[in-house]
Amino acid sequence: MPRINGNEIRPGYILDHNDSLWTAVKVEHVKPGKGGAFAQVELRNLRNGSKLNERFRSADRVERVRLDQKDQQFLYESGDVLVFMDMESYDQFSLPSDIFGERRPFLTEGMVVRVEYHESEALSAQLPQKVTCQVVEAEPAVKGQTAASSFKPALLDNGYRIMVPPFINPGEDVVVNTETLEYAGRA
């Protein structure tokens, strides 16, 4: 694995630190009035989700880990596990249902997701950036409310609630950004 200097750490990098895998969430470069510069890095553990704040000086060396990414197709859910199929070998395997966190309701059968592996251990999974859902329930638009930029709550077919513009009615398809979990447009 390549070793990098402490001042080369960027958000999103995966690091092998203290015999565990961490992702850099926030990186702030600090130049105090006295002493040498350092990078204040907020790290999140990829296995248990714990957080850690660490200082890395430019002379500090840390190992950057590259994860293997594979596209996998979601087949079905069985209890607390999600069953996927490898798109190349057609092997089936299971992952815990909490690997998606709060984005889990947007996973549908047949959807292709990107799973990141480190030495055959699945660490994270990413949904497509945009997903189409149907609005099941939404409040009616109030006359005169469309002049200002306003939003109203809506219930999607997967049970998730988002804020949508007032012109969206029940039965319409909307596009949801799975990174921000917000309305992205009409389908």
Side-chain angles (χ1 to χ4, degrees):
M1 285 183 266
R3 293 182 68 81
I4 60 173
N5 293 333
N7 60 351
E8 295 174 349
I9 299 172
R10 301 284 178 263
Y13 279 17
I14 309 295
L15 307 173
D16 187 356
H17 181 66
N18 293 343
D19 297 325
S20 191
L21 290 179
W22 302 81
T23 183
V25 179
K26 291 182 188 173
V27 179
E28 182 180 351
H29 294 280
V30 179
K31 173 75 174 104
K34 195 174 189 180
F38 59 88
Q40 182 72 35
V41 182
E42 181 180 319
L43 301 168
R44 184 176 45 83
N45 191 306
L46 286 174
R47 291 189 174 98
N48 61 23
S50 64
K51 290 195 172 183
L52 173 71
N53 280 314
E54 198 73 56
R55 287 184 177 181
F56 294 98
R57 302 207 176 272
S58 61
D60 294 340
R61 305 280 288 166
V62 66
E63 287 192 35
R64 181 175 177 199
V65 178
R66 301 223 188 260
L67 299 179
D68 297 325
Q69 296 181 344
K70 287 186 178 180
D71 288 339
Q72 315 284 340
Q73 184 177 22
F74 174 60
L75 298 177
Y76 60 92
E77 183 173 11
S78 175
D80 287 342
V81 295
L82 305 172
V83 179
F84 290 86
M85 178 181 68
D86 189 310
M87 301 289 285
E88 295 170 4
S89 66
Y90 302 108
D91 292 335
Q92 291 185 10
F93 63 96
S94 59
L95 294 175
S97 61
D98 61 351
I99 195 164
F100 289 102
E102 62 185 0
R103 291 163 178 76
R104 167 62 189 98
F106 294 97
L107 182 66
T108 58
E109 287 184 16
M111 181 180 281
V112 176
V113 299
R114 177 158 290 155
V115 180
E116 294 183 323
Y117 291 93
H118 178 257
E119 297 174 356
S120 74
E121 176 189 6
L123 295 175
S124 68
Q126 299 170 347
L127 293 171
Q129 185 177 3
K130 295 191 177 179
V131 175
T132 302
C133 297
Q134 186 176 34
V135 176
V136 175
E137 183 181 301
E139 297 174 5
V142 178
K143 188 174 181 181
Q145 195 177 28
T146 58
S149 172
S150 62
F151 285 83
K152 63 182 183 180
L155 179 67
L156 301 176
D157 57 357
N158 59 11
Y160 200 82
R161 288 197 176 276
I162 63 167
M163 300 299 283
V164 297
F167 56 82
I168 300 293
N169 296 313
E172 290 189 51
D173 288 341
V174 295
V175 177
V176 178
N177 184 330
T178 58
E179 293 175 2
T180 61
L181 299 177
E182 294 176 348
Y183 169 84
R186 275 184 165 161

